[in-house]
Amino acid sequence: MTSSYPIIIEKTEDGYYAECPFIQGVYAQGETEGEVRANLKDVLKMTLEDIKARGERVDLTDSVSLTISSLTVSA
């Protein structure tokens, strides 16, 4: 079964950081965007396998909500 999961990728001083905000503990680092994506995919696969082995399931259909916006602040 193939599923898509929302992820966040952030450029850092040391490379890239990525996470899947809807599944606790799914995050990774990498020197390039491609590397961080590959690393995060590995972590996500292992986490989903662990969740399945425990007899649990991940159902994001009703709980996924991600808003990207901005705030304007006068300083």
Side-chain angles (χ1 to χ4, degrees):
M1 182 173 139
T2 301
S3 298
S4 294
Y5 297 88
I7 64 170
I8 297 170
I9 298 175
E10 178 182 352
K11 175 83 170 103
T12 67
E13 290 180 9
D14 300 323
Y16 290 84
Y17 169 83
E19 66 179 290
C20 181
F22 301 104
I23 302 177
Q24 185 176 0
V26 177
Y27 59 90
Q29 293 179 313
E31 291 185 17
T32 66
E33 186 174 342
E35 182 179 351
V36 78
R37 283 178 174 275
N39 293 345
L40 189 65
K41 188 173 186 177
D42 290 342
V43 173
L44 182 57
K45 281 181 173 182
M46 287 186 292
T47 302
L48 293 172
E49 288 171 2
D50 185 52
I51 290 169
K52 185 177 178 181
R54 292 192 313 255
E56 300 171 9
R57 56 188 277 259
V58 175
D59 184 6
L60 299 177
T61 56
D62 293 328
S63 63
V64 172
S65 174
L66 180 63
T67 301
I68 298 175
S69 187
S70 63
L71 294 172
T72 302
V73 178
S74 296

